[in-house]
Amino acid sequence: DGGITQSPKYLFRKEGQNVTLSCEQNLNHDAMYWYRQDPGQGLRLIYYSQIVNDFQKGDIAEGYSVSREKKESFPLTVTSAQKNPTAFYLCASSDSAGKSSYNEQFFGPGTRLTVL
Amino acid sequence: LAKTTQPISMDSYEGQEVNITCSHNNIATNDYITWYQQFPSQGPRFIIQGYKTKVTNEVASLFIPADRKSSTLSLPRVSLSDTAVYYCLVGRDSGGYQKVTFGIGTKLQVIP
């Protein structure tokens, strides 16, 4: 089955600790994204990556870092610099290489991070 | 990016047709209109996409007038399982990156 996996589903961390959220896709998509969603809110873009070894900041990148060493993997690290990290984190990918039209984004199941 | 405006919430009875309208006055020539559905604690799921006129798939229809400044998602005969948040997006590919913005969406509550 092709798709996106995120792990873990629930994550708890103590204040001041860094934590890494996993995102893996086997759809052979070039582009990958990380979003944050707070209760009752829409999705806000944290980082995105168009190709391996390249990524760009989204609208709320402060306190987060990413890497894209492999096409299928795009881990997100929530650092201690992120002031309010408790949220629902969603990873997505899209097949947009060489395409001119908009292509749908495929989302993972999400990771709910709670800072204690 | 074109800003979208849609109702924050809607209620509907089971079996009725639901129409959710989205306004996007500043849509660009290359922008597509896409709708996603999101259930609680899940990632959004693609429903339908269009550029102009009408598009229909097995789940919904999308109506886009000639000026493309608005669009209407139509869900026929909704059931309780259609209770979800529906997002209207306007965007395009930009060098391999999809420039879109997910707003607050419309929370649809289907009532028995």
Side-chain angles (χ1 to χ4, degrees):
Chain A
D1 271 339
I4 299 182
T5 57
Q6 291 184 243
S7 61
K9 190 167 179 62
Y10 298 95
L11 190 56
F12 298 87
R13 79 152 217 224
K14 292 182 180 179
E15 204 169 328
Q17 290 181 334
N18 291 357
V19 62
T20 298
L21 281 59
S22 167
C23 177
E24 304 277 332
Q25 55 101 358
N26 60 5
L27 299 167
N28 200 34
H29 287 170
D30 285 305
M32 296 188 74
Y33 314 77
W34 272 105
Y35 293 92
R36 168 185 171 138
Q37 187 172 36
D38 293 286
Q41 302 298 310
L43 281 67
R44 293 185 288 170
L45 182 66
I46 305 172
Y47 267 98
Y48 65 96
S49 169
Q50 296 170 271
I51 56 172
V52 174
N53 293 323
D54 182 68
F55 48 83
Q56 305 295 330
K57 293 182 179 179
D59 301 319
I60 55 165
E62 186 175 349
Y64 300 97
S65 65
V66 294
S67 63
R68 188 84 187 276
E69 297 175 1
K70 297 185 294 183
K71 187 175 185 177
E72 59 270 22
S73 179
F74 191 40
L76 173 75
T77 297
V78 184
T79 74
S80 56
Q82 169 50 232
K83 293 187 174 69
N84 186 19
T86 294
F88 187 48
Y89 290 87
L90 287 158
C91 179
S93 70
S94 65
D95 179 16
S96 52
K99 305 259 171 86
S100 59
S101 62
Y102 173 84
N103 293 282
E104 69 177 280
Q105 293 188 27
F106 293 79
F107 283 83
T111 292
R112 190 166 298 279
L113 173 65
T114 302
V115 175
L116 304 172
Chain B
L1 290 177
K3 183 182 174 183
T4 59
T5 302
Q6 53 183 121
I8 293 175
S9 65
M10 294 180 71
D11 291 339
S12 176
Y13 287 102
E14 261 191 305
Q16 289 189 331
E17 178 184 76
V18 171
N19 295 309
I20 306 174
T21 296
C22 179
S23 159
H24 28 80
N25 291 321
N26 297 324
I27 189 169
T29 303
N30 295 335
D31 284 342
Y32 281 72
I33 300 155
T34 310
W35 287 79
Y36 284 80
Q37 174 192 57
Q38 185 182 27
F39 297 112
S41 297
Q42 293 186 25
R45 181 177 71 102
F46 174 92
I47 300 176
I48 197 166
Q49 179 187 104
Y51 184 78
K52 60 181 177 181
T53 65
K54 176 184 173 183
V55 180
T56 298
N57 62 21
E58 65 278 6
V59 176
S61 294
L62 179 59
F63 299 91
I64 306 169
D67 66 6
R68 303 200 328 124
K69 293 184 184 299
S70 67
S71 59
T72 299
L73 174 72
S74 181
L75 304 172
R77 298 178 299 282
V78 293
S79 64
L80 295 176
S81 63
D82 292 316
T83 294
V85 176
Y86 293 83
Y87 296 97
C88 165
L89 278 68
V90 171
R92 74 192 88 94
D93 255 31
S94 179
Y97 159 54
Q98 314 226 321
K99 294 176 94 59
V100 289
T101 299
F102 283 81
I104 295 176
T106 297
K107 187 172 184 178
L108 173 65
Q109 180 69 51
V110 179
I111 305 164

